[in-house]
Amino acid sequence: MRLVYPPICAGCGIMTGDHAALCAVCWQSVRFIERPYCEITGAPFDHDRGEGLVSPEAIARPPAYGKARAAVFYDGVARKIAQGLKYSDRADLAEMMAAWMVRAGRDVIDDSDVIIAVPLHRRRLFSRHYNQSAELARAVARLSGKRFLPAGLHRVRATERQVGLGLRARQDNVRGAFRTPETQKARLFGVRILLVDDVLTTGATVEAATRALKRGGAGEVNVLTFARVARSGEETLYA
């Protein structure tokens, strides 16, 4: 199989020692998110403001979720990897991406009982063949030993793409788009949930999903994504 499908760098395509890996040059270009950052939203600070500090945005507009964490900034090689998983049928990348997520989100993983992915609407799922967030959630669950609930949340309304929309428009777009199935409510009642998505932009999608889970009886909901944009509202291809 290695003769037919030799391992190549997920970033630039040169030969590497393993599949779904990065060469040294691409690895050095990835911007991993490290402290200091807001303990609630995970938004990085430009300088160290002290342990446990919360951003003014999180104080003024507390999110529905408890904490959010992300592994990398959504740019360069990391952006290419995220788009490869989402649009190019590169499901093989999920394991590598999930390993980075587990490293970045150990605190929210430890505080969770089960893992749930942000779902796709069935029409979009049919066109893409799989849900990239579910692939990440499944891999995170496998690496962390947590339970993955693939049916814990449904997307009951097809939404428009979020590209070009401001925060308020994004919020309106996903309002009422998610619902906890009646058959899952007893299983989720009071449970601490880790909600997994691929990219965090403004947070509108994970906020809507969090509210749906809490209406369904879930306890605390934390968020873990592979990447986040450097600035809130920065344009991406992601819904």
Side-chain angles (χ1 to χ4, degrees), residues 71-92:
V72 296
F73 286 106
Y74 179 67
D75 58 17
V77 171
R79 179 184 179 120
K80 185 174 182 178
I81 293 171
Q83 292 184 353
L85 174 66
K86 187 166 187 174
Y87 296 117
S88 301
D89 290 335
R90 290 295 308 277
D92 59 297

mmCIF file with all atom_site columns, all heavy atoms in Angstrom, residues 71-92:
data_model
loop_
_atom_site.group_PDB
_atom_site.id
_atom_site.type_symbol
_atom_site.label_atom_id
_atom_site.label_alt_id
_atom_site.label_comp_id
_atom_site.label_asym_id
_atom_site.label_entity_id
_atom_site.label_seq_id
_atom_site.pdbx_PDB_ins_code
_atom_site.Cartn_x
_atom_site.Cartn_y
_atom_site.Cartn_z
_atom_site.occupancy
_atom_site.B_iso_or_equiv
_atom_site.pdbx_formal_charge
_atom_site.auth_seq_id
_atom_site.auth_comp_id
_atom_site.auth_asym_id
_atom_site.auth_atom_id
_atom_site.pdbx_PDB_model_num
ATOM 1   N N   . ALA A 1 71 ? -7.278  24.119 18.971 1.00 0.00 ? 71 ALA A N   1
ATOM 2   C CA  . ALA A 1 71 ? -5.886  23.679 18.883 1.00 0.00 ? 71 ALA A CA  1
ATOM 3   C C   . ALA A 1 71 ? -5.000  24.676 18.149 1.00 0.00 ? 71 ALA A C   1
ATOM 4   O O   . ALA A 1 71 ? -3.874  24.936 18.573 1.00 0.00 ? 71 ALA A O   1
ATOM 5   C CB  . ALA A 1 71 ? -5.808  22.315 18.207 1.00 0.00 ? 71 ALA A CB  1
ATOM 6   N N   . VAL A 1 72 ? -5.493  25.238 17.032 1.00 0.00 ? 72 VAL A N   1
ATOM 7   C CA  . VAL A 1 72 ? -4.641  26.052 16.165 1.00 0.00 ? 72 VAL A CA  1
ATOM 8   C C   . VAL A 1 72 ? -5.411  27.247 15.631 1.00 0.00 ? 72 VAL A C   1
ATOM 9   O O   . VAL A 1 72 ? -6.646  27.286 15.675 1.00 0.00 ? 72 VAL A O   1
ATOM 10  C CB  . VAL A 1 72 ? -4.104  25.227 14.965 1.00 0.00 ? 72 VAL A CB  1
ATOM 11  C CG1 . VAL A 1 72 ? -3.208  24.100 15.438 1.00 0.00 ? 72 VAL A CG1 1
ATOM 12  C CG2 . VAL A 1 72 ? -5.262  24.678 14.123 1.00 0.00 ? 72 VAL A CG2 1
ATOM 13  N N   . PHE A 1 73 ? -4.666  28.222 15.112 1.00 0.00 ? 73 PHE A N   1
ATOM 14  C CA  . PHE A 1 73 ? -5.279  29.322 14.380 1.00 0.00 ? 73 PHE A CA  1
ATOM 15  C C   . PHE A 1 73 ? -5.644  28.843 12.974 1.00 0.00 ? 73 PHE A C   1
ATOM 16  O O   . PHE A 1 73 ? -4.920  28.051 12.363 1.00 0.00 ? 73 PHE A O   1
ATOM 17  C CB  . PHE A 1 73 ? -4.324  30.515 14.277 1.00 0.00 ? 73 PHE A CB  1
ATOM 18  C CG  . PHE A 1 73 ? -4.161  31.270 15.552 1.00 0.00 ? 73 PHE A CG  1
ATOM 19  C CD1 . PHE A 1 73 ? -2.999  31.155 16.303 1.00 0.00 ? 73 PHE A CD1 1
ATOM 20  C CD2 . PHE A 1 73 ? -5.160  32.110 16.016 1.00 0.00 ? 73 PHE A CD2 1
ATOM 21  C CE1 . PHE A 1 73 ? -2.834  31.862 17.479 1.00 0.00 ? 73 PHE A CE1 1
ATOM 22  C CE2 . PHE A 1 73 ? -5.012  32.824 17.188 1.00 0.00 ? 73 PHE A CE2 1
ATOM 23  C CZ  . PHE A 1 73 ? -3.848  32.698 17.932 1.00 0.00 ? 73 PHE A CZ  1
ATOM 24  N N   . TYR A 1 74 ? -6.750  29.373 12.473 1.00 0.00 ? 74 TYR A N   1
ATOM 25  C CA  . TYR A 1 74 ? -7.241  28.980 11.157 1.00 0.00 ? 74 TYR A CA  1
ATOM 26  C C   . TYR A 1 74 ? -6.547  29.810 10.080 1.00 0.00 ? 74 TYR A C   1
ATOM 27  O O   . TYR A 1 74 ? -7.045  30.822 9.599  1.00 0.00 ? 74 TYR A O   1
ATOM 28  C CB  . TYR A 1 74 ? -8.759  29.175 11.107 1.00 0.00 ? 74 TYR A CB  1
ATOM 29  C CG  . TYR A 1 74 ? -9.386  28.817 9.780  1.00 0.00 ? 74 TYR A CG  1
ATOM 30  C CD1 . TYR A 1 74 ? -9.415  27.513 9.331  1.00 0.00 ? 74 TYR A CD1 1
ATOM 31  C CD2 . TYR A 1 74 ? -9.959  29.814 8.991  1.00 0.00 ? 74 TYR A CD2 1
ATOM 32  C CE1 . TYR A 1 74 ? -10.001 27.192 8.121  1.00 0.00 ? 74 TYR A CE1 1
ATOM 33  C CE2 . TYR A 1 74 ? -10.546 29.499 7.777  1.00 0.00 ? 74 TYR A CE2 1
ATOM 34  C CZ  . TYR A 1 74 ? -10.553 28.193 7.356  1.00 0.00 ? 74 TYR A CZ  1
ATOM 35  O OH  . TYR A 1 74 ? -11.132 27.874 6.148  1.00 0.00 ? 74 TYR A OH  1
ATOM 36  N N   . ASP A 1 75 ? -5.332  29.399 9.727  1.00 0.00 ? 75 ASP A N   1
ATOM 37  C CA  . ASP A 1 75 ? -4.608  30.046 8.644  1.00 0.00 ? 75 ASP A CA  1
ATOM 38  C C   . ASP A 1 75 ? -3.545  29.095 8.116  1.00 0.00 ? 75 ASP A C   1
ATOM 39  O O   . ASP A 1 75 ? -3.255  28.048 8.721  1.00 0.00 ? 75 ASP A O   1
ATOM 40  C CB  . ASP A 1 75 ? -3.983  31.382 9.091  1.00 0.00 ? 75 ASP A CB  1
ATOM 41  C CG  . ASP A 1 75 ? -3.033  31.223 10.277 1.00 0.00 ? 75 ASP A CG  1
ATOM 42  O OD1 . ASP A 1 75 ? -2.598  30.084 10.565 1.00 0.00 ? 75 ASP A OD1 1
ATOM 43  O OD2 . ASP A 1 75 ? -2.710  32.237 10.923 1.00 0.00 ? 75 ASP A OD2 1
ATOM 44  N N   . GLY A 1 76 ? -2.970  29.437 6.974  1.00 0.00 ? 76 GLY A N   1
ATOM 45  C CA  . GLY A 1 76 ? -1.864  28.668 6.420  1.00 0.00 ? 76 GLY A CA  1
ATOM 46  C C   . GLY A 1 76 ? -2.142  27.185 6.273  1.00 0.00 ? 76 GLY A C   1
ATOM 47  O O   . GLY A 1 76 ? -3.175  26.765 5.742  1.00 0.00 ? 76 GLY A O   1
ATOM 48  N N   . VAL A 1 77 ? -1.216  26.375 6.770  1.00 0.00 ? 77 VAL A N   1
ATOM 49  C CA  . VAL A 1 77 ? -1.321  24.926 6.662  1.00 0.00 ? 77 VAL A CA  1
ATOM 50  C C   . VAL A 1 77 ? -2.538  24.394 7.407  1.00 0.00 ? 77 VAL A C   1
ATOM 51  O O   . VAL A 1 77 ? -3.225  23.483 6.931  1.00 0.00 ? 77 VAL A O   1
ATOM 52  C CB  . VAL A 1 77 ? -0.034  24.257 7.187  1.00 0.00 ? 77 VAL A CB  1
ATOM 53  C CG1 . VAL A 1 77 ? -0.195  22.746 7.283  1.00 0.00 ? 77 VAL A CG1 1
ATOM 54  C CG2 . VAL A 1 77 ? 1.145   24.592 6.280  1.00 0.00 ? 77 VAL A CG2 1
ATOM 55  N N   . ALA A 1 78 ? -2.832  24.956 8.577  1.00 0.00 ? 78 ALA A N   1
ATOM 56  C CA  . ALA A 1 78 ? -3.984  24.497 9.352  1.00 0.00 ? 78 ALA A CA  1
ATOM 57  C C   . ALA A 1 78 ? -5.290  24.711 8.586  1.00 0.00 ? 78 ALA A C   1
ATOM 58  O O   . ALA A 1 78 ? -6.186  23.863 8.608  1.00 0.00 ? 78 ALA A O   1
ATOM 59  C CB  . ALA A 1 78 ? -4.036  25.229 10.695 1.00 0.00 ? 78 ALA A CB  1
ATOM 60  N N   . ARG A 1 79 ? -5.389  25.816 7.886  1.00 0.00 ? 79 ARG A N   1
ATOM 61  C CA  . ARG A 1 79 ? -6.578  26.080 7.057  1.00 0.00 ? 79 ARG A CA  1
ATOM 62  C C   . ARG A 1 79 ? -6.677  25.052 5.941  1.00 0.00 ? 79 ARG A C   1
ATOM 63  O O   . ARG A 1 79 ? -7.770  24.526 5.652  1.00 0.00 ? 79 ARG A O   1
ATOM 64  C CB  . ARG A 1 79 ? -6.488  27.497 6.486  1.00 0.00 ? 79 ARG A CB  1
ATOM 65  C CG  . ARG A 1 79 ? -7.648  27.886 5.586  1.00 0.00 ? 79 ARG A CG  1
ATOM 66  C CD  . ARG A 1 79 ? -7.419  29.275 4.999  1.00 0.00 ? 79 ARG A CD  1
ATOM 67  N NE  . ARG A 1 79 ? -8.504  29.656 4.113  1.00 0.00 ? 79 ARG A NE  1
ATOM 68  C CZ  . ARG A 1 79 ? -9.287  30.716 4.282  1.00 0.00 ? 79 ARG A CZ  1
ATOM 69  N NH1 . ARG A 1 79 ? -9.105  31.488 5.334  1.00 0.00 ? 79 ARG A NH1 1
ATOM 70  N NH2 . ARG A 1 79 ? -10.240 30.998 3.424  1.00 0.00 ? 79 ARG A NH2 1
ATOM 71  N N   . LYS A 1 80 ? -5.555  24.725 5.316  1.00 0.00 ? 80 LYS A N   1
ATOM 72  C CA  . LYS A 1 80 ? -5.550  23.738 4.241  1.00 0.00 ? 80 LYS A CA  1
ATOM 73  C C   . LYS A 1 80 ? -5.976  22.369 4.757  1.00 0.00 ? 80 LYS A C   1
ATOM 74  O O   . LYS A 1 80 ? -6.732  21.643 4.101  1.00 0.00 ? 80 LYS A O   1
ATOM 75  C CB  . LYS A 1 80 ? -4.163  23.666 3.617  1.00 0.00 ? 80 LYS A CB  1
ATOM 76  C CG  . LYS A 1 80 ? -4.081  22.750 2.409  1.00 0.00 ? 80 LYS A CG  1
ATOM 77  C CD  . LYS A 1 80 ? -2.708  22.834 1.750  1.00 0.00 ? 80 LYS A CD  1
ATOM 78  C CE  . LYS A 1 80 ? -2.654  21.937 0.509  1.00 0.00 ? 80 LYS A CE  1
ATOM 79  N NZ  . LYS A 1 80 ? -1.340  22.039 -0.166 1.00 0.00 ? 80 LYS A NZ  1
ATOM 80  N N   . ILE A 1 81 ? -5.506  22.004 5.944  1.00 0.00 ? 81 ILE A N   1
ATOM 81  C CA  . ILE A 1 81 ? -5.878  20.724 6.538  1.00 0.00 ? 81 ILE A CA  1
ATOM 82  C C   . ILE A 1 81 ? -7.373  20.680 6.833  1.00 0.00 ? 81 ILE A C   1
ATOM 83  O O   . ILE A 1 81 ? -8.062  19.701 6.516  1.00 0.00 ? 81 ILE A O   1
ATOM 84  C CB  . ILE A 1 81 ? -5.071  20.479 7.819  1.00 0.00 ? 81 ILE A CB  1
ATOM 85  C CG1 . ILE A 1 81 ? -3.595  20.277 7.494  1.00 0.00 ? 81 ILE A CG1 1
ATOM 86  C CG2 . ILE A 1 81 ? -5.606  19.269 8.583  1.00 0.00 ? 81 ILE A CG2 1
ATOM 87  C CD1 . ILE A 1 81 ? -2.703  20.238 8.715  1.00 0.00 ? 81 ILE A CD1 1
ATOM 88  N N   . ALA A 1 82 ? -7.901  21.753 7.440  1.00 0.00 ? 82 ALA A N   1
ATOM 89  C CA  . ALA A 1 82 ? -9.320  21.806 7.768  1.00 0.00 ? 82 ALA A CA  1
ATOM 90  C C   . ALA A 1 82 ? -10.183 21.716 6.520  1.00 0.00 ? 82 ALA A C   1
ATOM 91  O O   . ALA A 1 82 ? -11.206 21.013 6.495  1.00 0.00 ? 82 ALA A O   1
ATOM 92  C CB  . ALA A 1 82 ? -9.628  23.089 8.539  1.00 0.00 ? 82 ALA A CB  1
ATOM 93  N N   . GLN A 1 83 ? -9.779  22.399 5.460  1.00 0.00 ? 83 GLN A N   1
ATOM 94  C CA  . GLN A 1 83 ? -10.549 22.351 4.221  1.00 0.00 ? 83 GLN A CA  1
ATOM 95  C C   . GLN A 1 83 ? -10.412 20.993 3.535  1.00 0.00 ? 83 GLN A C   1
ATOM 96  O O   . GLN A 1 83 ? -11.338 20.528 2.875  1.00 0.00 ? 83 GLN A O   1
ATOM 97  C CB  . GLN A 1 83 ? -10.098 23.470 3.288  1.00 0.00 ? 83 GLN A CB  1
ATOM 98  C CG  . GLN A 1 83 ? -10.466 24.854 3.801  1.00 0.00 ? 83 GLN A CG  1
ATOM 99  C CD  . GLN A 1 83 ? -10.104 25.956 2.821  1.00 0.00 ? 83 GLN A CD  1
ATOM 100 O OE1 . GLN A 1 83 ? -9.455  25.722 1.808  1.00 0.00 ? 83 GLN A OE1 1
ATOM 101 N NE2 . GLN A 1 83 ? -10.518 27.165 3.143  1.00 0.00 ? 83 GLN A NE2 1
ATOM 102 N N   . GLY A 1 84 ? -9.249  20.348 3.703  1.00 0.00 ? 84 GLY A N   1
ATOM 103 C CA  . GLY A 1 84 ? -9.078  19.014 3.140  1.00 0.00 ? 84 GLY A CA  1
ATOM 104 C C   . GLY A 1 84 ? -10.028 18.026 3.763  1.00 0.00 ? 84 GLY A C   1
ATOM 105 O O   . GLY A 1 84 ? -10.644 17.196 3.070  1.00 0.00 ? 84 GLY A O   1
ATOM 106 N N   . LEU A 1 85 ? -10.193 18.087 5.086  1.00 0.00 ? 85 LEU A N   1
ATOM 107 C CA  . LEU A 1 85 ? -11.136 17.203 5.769  1.00 0.00 ? 85 LEU A CA  1
ATOM 108 C C   . LEU A 1 85 ? -12.566 17.490 5.339  1.00 0.00 ? 85 LEU A C   1
ATOM 109 O O   . LEU A 1 85 ? -13.358 16.568 5.117  1.00 0.00 ? 85 LEU A O   1
ATOM 110 C CB  . LEU A 1 85 ? -11.004 17.383 7.285  1.00 0.00 ? 85 LEU A CB  1
ATOM 111 C CG  . LEU A 1 85 ? -12.030 16.639 8.141  1.00 0.00 ? 85 LEU A CG  1
ATOM 112 C CD1 . LEU A 1 85 ? -11.847 15.129 8.026  1.00 0.00 ? 85 LEU A CD1 1
ATOM 113 C CD2 . LEU A 1 85 ? -11.940 17.078 9.604  1.00 0.00 ? 85 LEU A CD2 1
ATOM 114 N N   . LYS A 1 86 ? -12.874 18.761 5.193  1.00 0.00 ? 86 LYS A N   1
ATOM 115 C CA  . LYS A 1 86 ? -14.266 19.144 4.946  1.00 0.00 ? 86 LYS A CA  1
ATOM 116 C C   . LYS A 1 86 ? -14.692 18.984 3.492  1.00 0.00 ? 86 LYS A C   1
ATOM 117 O O   . LYS A 1 86 ? -15.802 18.513 3.220  1.00 0.00 ? 86 LYS A O   1
ATOM 118 C CB  . LYS A 1 86 ? -14.479 20.596 5.386  1.00 0.00 ? 86 LYS A CB  1
ATOM 119 C CG  . LYS A 1 86 ? -15.934 21.045 5.320  1.00 0.00 ? 86 LYS A CG  1
ATOM 120 C CD  . LYS A 1 86 ? -16.126 22.335 6.075  1.00 0.00 ? 86 LYS A CD  1
ATOM 121 C CE  . LYS A 1 86 ? -17.591 22.715 6.170  1.00 0.00 ? 86 LYS A CE  1
ATOM 122 N NZ  . LYS A 1 86 ? -17.810 23.896 7.016  1.00 0.00 ? 86 LYS A NZ  1
ATOM 123 N N   . TYR A 1 87 ? -13.820 19.342 2.571  1.00 0.00 ? 87 TYR A N   1
ATOM 124 C CA  . TYR A 1 87 ? -14.238 19.422 1.173  1.00 0.00 ? 87 TYR A CA  1
ATOM 125 C C   . TYR A 1 87 ? -13.570 18.415 0.243  1.00 0.00 ? 87 TYR A C   1
ATOM 126 O O   . TYR A 1 87 ? -14.016 18.249 -0.887 1.00 0.00 ? 87 TYR A O   1
ATOM 127 C CB  . TYR A 1 87 ? -13.955 20.829 0.629  1.00 0.00 ? 87 TYR A CB  1
ATOM 128 C CG  . TYR A 1 87 ? -14.738 21.916 1.311  1.00 0.00 ? 87 TYR A CG  1
ATOM 129 C CD1 . TYR A 1 87 ? -14.086 22.925 2.020  1.00 0.00 ? 87 TYR A CD1 1
ATOM 130 C CD2 . TYR A 1 87 ? -16.125 21.945 1.262  1.00 0.00 ? 87 TYR A CD2 1
ATOM 131 C CE1 . TYR A 1 87 ? -14.800 23.931 2.657  1.00 0.00 ? 87 TYR A CE1 1
ATOM 132 C CE2 . TYR A 1 87 ? -16.847 22.937 1.899  1.00 0.00 ? 87 TYR A CE2 1
ATOM 133 C CZ  . TYR A 1 87 ? -16.180 23.927 2.584  1.00 0.00 ? 87 TYR A CZ  1
ATOM 134 O OH  . TYR A 1 87 ? -16.890 24.917 3.217  1.00 0.00 ? 87 TYR A OH  1
ATOM 135 N N   . SER A 1 88 ? -12.496 17.775 0.671  1.00 0.00 ? 88 SER A N   1
ATOM 136 C CA  . SER A 1 88 ? -11.726 16.929 -0.243 1.00 0.00 ? 88 SER A CA  1
ATOM 137 C C   . SER A 1 88 ? -11.712 15.461 0.155  1.00 0.00 ? 88 SER A C   1
ATOM 138 O O   . SER A 1 88 ? -10.816 14.712 -0.236 1.00 0.00 ? 88 SER A O   1
ATOM 139 C CB  . SER A 1 88 ? -10.285 17.448 -0.358 1.00 0.00 ? 88 SER A CB  1
ATOM 140 O OG  . SER A 1 88 ? -10.271 18.785 -0.821 1.00 0.00 ? 88 SER A OG  1
ATOM 141 N N   . ASP A 1 89 ? -12.692 15.044 0.963  1.00 0.00 ? 89 ASP A N   1
ATOM 142 C CA  . ASP A 1 89 ? -12.809 13.633 1.370  1.00 0.00 ? 89 ASP A CA  1
ATOM 143 C C   . ASP A 1 89 ? -11.549 13.121 2.057  1.00 0.00 ? 89 ASP A C   1
ATOM 144 O O   . ASP A 1 89 ? -11.211 11.934 1.942  1.00 0.00 ? 89 ASP A O   1
ATOM 145 C CB  . ASP A 1 89 ? -13.137 12.749 0.164  1.00 0.00 ? 89 ASP A CB  1
ATOM 146 C CG  . ASP A 1 89 ? -14.548 12.987 -0.355 1.00 0.00 ? 89 ASP A CG  1
ATOM 147 O OD1 . ASP A 1 89 ? -15.390 13.434 0.436  1.00 0.00 ? 89 ASP A OD1 1
ATOM 148 O OD2 . ASP A 1 89 ? -14.795 12.735 -1.540 1.00 0.00 ? 89 ASP A OD2 1
ATOM 149 N N   . ARG A 1 90 ? -10.842 13.985 2.776  1.00 0.00 ? 90 ARG A N   1
ATOM 150 C CA  . ARG A 1 90 ? -9.633  13.572 3.493  1.00 0.00 ? 90 ARG A CA  1
ATOM 151 C C   . ARG A 1 90 ? -9.984  13.203 4.934  1.00 0.00 ? 90 ARG A C   1
ATOM 152 O O   . ARG A 1 90 ? -9.465  13.780 5.890  1.00 0.00 ? 90 ARG A O   1
ATOM 153 C CB  . ARG A 1 90 ? -8.585  14.678 3.450  1.00 0.00 ? 90 ARG A CB  1
ATOM 154 C CG  . ARG A 1 90 ? -7.965  14.930 2.097  1.00 0.00 ? 90 ARG A CG  1
ATOM 155 C CD  . ARG A 1 90 ? -7.151  13.740 1.602  1.00 0.00 ? 90 ARG A CD  1
ATOM 156 N NE  . ARG A 1 90 ? -6.173  13.266 2.570  1.00 0.00 ? 90 ARG A NE  1
ATOM 157 C CZ  . ARG A 1 90 ? -4.955  13.801 2.729  1.00 0.00 ? 90 ARG A CZ  1
ATOM 158 N NH1 . ARG A 1 90 ? -4.569  14.804 1.952  1.00 0.00 ? 90 ARG A NH1 1
ATOM 159 N NH2 . ARG A 1 90 ? -4.128  13.323 3.643  1.00 0.00 ? 90 ARG A NH2 1
ATOM 160 N N   . ALA A 1 91 ? -10.852 12.215 5.091  1.00 0.00 ? 91 ALA A N   1
ATOM 161 C CA  . ALA A 1 91 ? -11.230 11.772 6.432  1.00 0.00 ? 91 ALA A CA  1
ATOM 162 C C   . ALA A 1 91 ? -10.046 11.200 7.192  1.00 0.00 ? 91 ALA A C   1
ATOM 163 O O   . ALA A 1 91 ? -10.067 11.124 8.421  1.00 0.00 ? 91 ALA A O   1
ATOM 164 C CB  . ALA A 1 91 ? -12.355 10.742 6.343  1.00 0.00 ? 91 ALA A CB  1
ATOM 165 N N   . ASP A 1 92 ? -9.006  10.807 6.463  1.00 0.00 ? 92 ASP A N   1
ATOM 166 C CA  . ASP A 1 92 ? -7.810  10.274 7.118  1.00 0.00 ? 92 ASP A CA  1
ATOM 167 C C   . ASP A 1 92 ? -7.094  11.315 7.973  1.00 0.00 ? 92 ASP A C   1
ATOM 168 O O   . ASP A 1 92 ? -6.286  10.967 8.837  1.00 0.00 ? 92 ASP A O   1
ATOM 169 C CB  . ASP A 1 92 ? -6.836  9.729  6.065  1.00 0.00 ? 92 ASP A CB  1
ATOM 170 C CG  . ASP A 1 92 ? -6.417  10.794 5.059  1.00 0.00 ? 92 ASP A CG  1
ATOM 171 O OD1 . ASP A 1 92 ? -7.309  11.293 4.339  1.00 0.00 ? 92 ASP A OD1 1
ATOM 172 O OD2 . ASP A 1 92 ? -5.224  11.130 4.995  1.00 0.00 ? 92 ASP A OD2 1
#
